[in-house]
């Protein structure tokens, strides 16, 4: 249970797999979405066990097998993965049906960017995180879906607002109809930054609680989920149409990798979202 957040991500189990899904998104049309945990994979050591990202130093074949296991319940195969090389920016790819599989191997990514949007059914958008937030967005009026990666840099640059705006300009999606679930990320109690980044956020208009506050020893606590919720509200997403963001990757080593907690040597969880393939497709 996502505490106090009954529409946010809930833990589910299926055989050895454990994954999360958000009731807010499950109830709004022909959309498949999920967020992996570290359970049910074949990787060992710091990557144990369901590491889904190639760039972690894990063995290629193990990542492939982990992806195969996680994707299978949703009817997808690793060959179909669409992904960008995440660079902590606000670059957004509009993904076409012909992009299927771009991101399935190390050499065929879409390019550098941090958000994917599509209105094409059956196209598997994926994102990778271990502390950074993934934003799962459904625009039921198009329909279209989006998956955005927002860590410290992406949040500072308002990735949330950028992707909502892109869904509107590309597909005519109405922000008032959109639903957004925030994936597990590092919480404001666990996440501390130095004075430089703290100043950046203060100057960007995020002073004080619940966004930024001074901790012990000259550090500052930063709550990325709180800032993203406010950015989504300013972008026109209605209250009650945003859920999640309360699972902490650092607080739960049993479920999640955490880049900060594990000092960089760790795996990544995968978020996926897709429009279901219609009968005719
Ligand atoms: Zn925490």
């Amino acid at each position: 249970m996502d505490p106090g957040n009954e529409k946010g991500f809930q833990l589910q189990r299926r055989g050895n797999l454990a994954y999360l899904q958000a009731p807010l998104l499950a109830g709004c049309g022909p959309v498949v979405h999920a967020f992996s945990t570290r359970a049910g994979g074949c990787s060992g050591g710091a990557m144990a066990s369901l590491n889904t990202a190639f760039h972690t130093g894990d063995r290629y074949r193990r990542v492939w097998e982990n992806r195969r296991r996680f994707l299978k319940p949703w009817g997808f195969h690793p060959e179909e993965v669409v992904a960008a090389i995440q660079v902590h920016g606000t670059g957004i790819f509009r993904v076409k049906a012909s992009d299927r599989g771009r991101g399935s191997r190390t050499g065929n990514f879409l390019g550098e960017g941090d958000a994917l949007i599509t209105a094409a059914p059956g196209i598997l958008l994926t994102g990778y995180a271990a502390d950074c937030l993934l934003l799962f967005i459904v625009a039921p009026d198009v329909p279209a879906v989006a998956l955005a990666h927002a860590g410290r840099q992406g949040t500072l640059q308002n990735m949330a607002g950028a992707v909502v705006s892109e869904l509107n300009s590309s597909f005519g999606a109405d922000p008032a109809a959109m639903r957004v679930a925030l994936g597990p990320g590092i919480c404001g109690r666990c996440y501390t930054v130095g004075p430089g980044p703290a100043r950046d956020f203060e100057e960007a208009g995020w002073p004080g609680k619940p966004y930024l506050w001074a901790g012990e020893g000259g550090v500052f606590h930063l709550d990325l989920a709180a800032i993203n919720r406010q950015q989504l509200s300013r972008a026109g997403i209605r209250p009650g149409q945003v859920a999640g963001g309360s699972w902490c990757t650092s607080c739960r080593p049993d479920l999640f990798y955490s880049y900060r907690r594990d000092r960089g040597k760790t795996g990544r969880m995968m978020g996926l979202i897709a429009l279901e393939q219609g009968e005719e497709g």
Side-chain angles (χ1 to χ4, degrees), residues 16-17 37-43 48-51 62 65-66 69:
N16 293 329
L17 280 180
T37 69
R38 54 194 306 176
C42 66
S43 296
S49 68
L50 198 121
N51 171 40
R62 288 181 180 166
E65 170 61 13
N66 291 338
R69 293 183 191 182

Side-chain angles (χ1 to χ4, degrees), residues 107-250:
N108 68 356
F109 286 92
L110 287 166
E112 294 187 347
D114 287 86
L116 311 177
I117 68 172
T118 194
I123 296 299
L124 179 64
L125 306 185
T126 67
Y128 304 83
D131 289 345
C132 293
L133 284 175
L134 294 183
L135 281 61
F136 297 71
I137 308 179
V138 179
D141 54 338
V142 179
V145 291
L147 191 58
H149 167 253
R152 176 162 62 83
Q153 290 296 336
T155 299
L156 183 63
Q157 297 168 64
N158 192 16
M159 167 52 93
V163 71
V164 168
S165 173
E166 188 62 41
L167 281 165
N168 176 260
S169 58
S170 282
F171 303 126
D174 179 4
M178 292 181 197
R179 299 189 185 196
V180 187
L182 305 177
I186 190 165
C187 77
R189 289 179 304 282
C190 290
Y191 190 39
T192 57
V193 298
R199 198 178 315 114
D200 292 341
F201 275 87
E202 202 169 339
E203 287 172 0
W206 305 107
K209 281 193 171 182
Y211 313 115
L212 176 71
W213 63 97
E216 289 172 18
V219 301
F220 294 85
H221 293 266
L222 190 58
D223 191 326
L224 297 175
I227 297 173
N228 275 270
R229 280 191 205 96
Q230 187 59 26
Q231 288 170 332
L232 289 164
S233 168
R234 289 178 189 174
I237 312 295
R238 286 158 49 200
Q241 303 281 60
V242 179
S246 34
W247 287 97
C248 174
T249 44
S250 177

Side-chain angles (χ1 to χ4, degrees), residues 2 22 36 79 92 117 127 164 172 194 197 210 225 248 262 265:
D2 201 348
S36 69
E79 295 279 5
I92 300 171
I117 68 172
V164 168
C248 174
D262 302 336
K265 188 164 175 51

